[in-house]
Amino acid sequence: MAKSSENATVHPPVLGIYSGQDLMGDGLFKLPFFRAARAAFPDYRIVYVTSGPTMLETKLRPLVSGIIDVFISNTGICRSIGELIRPLPIQEKFSVFIDTQPVLWRTLLLRRLRHDLFITPAAHYRLSDRRPSEGRVRPVNITLRLIELIELASGRPVDMRLDVAVPPDFLEKARRQCPLGSVYVGLAPGAGGRGKCWPLENYIALARKLVDAGRIPVFVLGPAELEWLPQIREAVPRSLFPLQDEAVWGGGYDPVATVALARSFAAAVSNDSGTNHMFAAANIPLLTLFGPSNAEKFRPLVKCGVVLKAQDFGGSLPSDIPVSAVESSLETLLSSDVSSSYN
């Protein structure tokens, strides 16, 4: 006797996404992409497949809670072209599968996964079941390129209103350090390389201006910038250094703490850096300073943001950006309706 359909288990459709691996910067770049995926496929189970490790499964996992349902990481696939003639270790059936990388042989390998719809940018989308319209201009920005894949898969523009969820205990700790009632401005003077840093003395000058205007500068320093703390504290005694409060955050560096703190900022100023994308994850008014990097390619996605490039001032280094230009742009952000809604 056939089983009653009333007792049959209904499984949600599955959206699979592939990437090689994610270091911290890679994971931060992809946060808007995964937010877009969840907004476009609200009823799907999202499965993230990686060849190597991903920070989204470890350090950044609280920021994708409720977005990525399953990690299939460290699979080792797509490392050798010889895998094309070997069985794949993944048996999952995907309703939609998005290959985020462009290498042809890897795409041929991933197409062997069981799927109903396959999306890939490889070979100018020739291996994709759906392609961009003729004459479309491909986005320069890395994150927007990824989001374009979501739009192809869903067949409609992406709703970008879904913000990163920060764990309540992190937000409570952040509010304890930056209580309501004051205007806090985040300053992140560090970067992965000192050649990407606006001069520290400029950040100090900016912080003094903020204090004069009745605002509180909050310096967000990572492990590589701790040597600057005594100099900043002496020059701007009213500055805050919340991440260095081990009584609140414990030892070590947690990027989720930075995102939580940023939620307390009326605005922030940052170099092109990982911290910049942590600020962007908080979706606050954000001023980003670019030197030699491609600003259009690496600029963060926020609802209210300004980019200043050294090239706009006749140079190529962050030091070519004048303090006056940063002050003016920051004041514009602080005066915006978006800024006022954060405090």
Side-chain angles (χ1 to χ4, degrees):
M1 181 181 293
K3 293 183 179 179
S4 170
S5 60
E6 293 181 357
N7 297 324
T9 301
V10 178
H11 296 286
V14 181
L15 168 64
I17 297 172
Y18 171 81
S19 185
Q21 66 176 11
D22 299 312
L23 300 177
M24 183 63 72
D26 303 319
L28 291 166
F29 267 117
K30 289 173 184 170
L31 287 175
F33 165 69
F34 280 104
R35 295 203 305 269
R38 176 50 72 201
F41 295 93
D43 301 321
Y44 281 57
R45 186 165 63 99
I46 296 181
V47 177
Y48 190 31
V49 180
T50 61
S51 176
T54 170
M55 284 287 184
L56 291 167
E57 188 179 19
T58 53
K59 289 279 191 179
L60 299 174
R61 188 160 191 166
L63 301 181
V64 291
S65 175
I67 296 178
I68 300 177
D69 298 298
V70 178
F71 288 89
I72 305 179
S73 58
N74 285 300
T75 61
I77 64 172
C78 293
R79 291 183 177 174
S80 166
I81 198 170
E83 296 172 55
L84 286 169
I85 59 173
R86 295 197 292 269
L88 288 172
I90 300 170
Q91 301 305 313
E92 181 91 48
K93 168 67 184 294
F94 300 98
S95 309
V96 180
F97 194 87
I98 298 177
D99 167 26
T100 65
Q101 62 80 52
V103 179
L104 180 60
W105 73 263
R106 292 192 176 108
T107 299
L108 291 172
L109 178 70
L110 293 168
R111 275 194 68 92
R112 292 171 52 206
L113 294 170
R114 295 190 301 151
H115 64 270
D116 295 324
L117 178 69
F118 189 87
I119 303 295
T120 179
H124 301 287
Y125 293 92
R126 290 186 178 89
L127 298 180
S128 182
D129 293 336
R130 291 179 182 170
R131 303 178 187 179
S133 58
E134 290 291 332
R136 102 15 179 133
V137 178
R138 190 182 187 195
V140 175
N141 185 269
I142 291 176
T143 308
L144 289 178
R145 286 188 178 188
L146 291 172
I147 289 173
E148 184 178 59
L149 299 176
I150 298 292
E151 293 181 332
L152 282 176
S154 65
R156 59 185 181 275
V158 163
D159 180 350
M160 290 296 293
R161 292 180 296 173
L162 188 60
D163 288 335
V164 164
V166 181
D169 57 324
F170 279 80
L171 292 174
E172 190 277 328
K173 291 177 180 179
R175 275 302 181 196
R176 201 187 313 161
Q177 294 184 301
C178 299
L180 290 171
S182 297
V183 177
Y184 303 95
V185 178
L187 302 176
R194 293 294 165 91
K196 297 169 70 175
C197 294
W198 199 47
L200 181 60
E201 58 267 26
N202 289 359
Y203 274 102
I204 289 174
L206 182 62
R208 285 172 169 162
K209 289 282 189 179
L210 290 170
V211 171
D212 290 343
R215 296 156 179 159
I216 300 178
V218 182
F219 279 88
V220 177
L221 303 178
E225 294 92 50
L226 289 181
E227 64 186 83
W228 292 341
L229 194 153
Q231 179 183 350
I232 300 170
R233 180 172 280 156
E234 181 179 359
V236 196
R238 291 198 60 192
S239 292
L240 299 183
F241 304 88
L243 289 182
Q244 280 61 60
D245 190 342
E246 293 190 6
V248 174
W249 300 109
Y253 178 74
D254 190 333
V256 181
T258 297
V259 179
L261 283 166
R263 285 280 176 88
S264 299
F265 301 161
V269 181
S270 172
N271 304 314
D272 169 33
S273 65
T275 303
N276 182 249
H277 289 277
M278 294 174 205
F279 289 168
N283 214 1
I284 60 172
L286 182 57
L287 172 56
T288 308
L289 309 179
F290 278 90
S293 303
N294 184 327
E296 289 306 311
K297 184 175 182 179
F298 297 111
R299 69 181 300 162
L301 299 186
V302 288
K303 68 177 71 174
C304 183
V306 175
V307 165
L308 292 181
K309 301 176 288 184
Q311 292 78 8
D312 293 336
F313 302 94
S316 60
L317 301 175
S319 56
D320 295 315
I321 303 174
V323 175
S324 59
V326 175
E327 290 175 1
S328 176
S329 295
L330 177 58
E331 192 60 40
T332 298
L333 287 176
L334 288 167
S335 301
S336 70
D337 291 337
V338 174
S339 176
S340 63
S341 70
Y342 281 88
N343 283 278

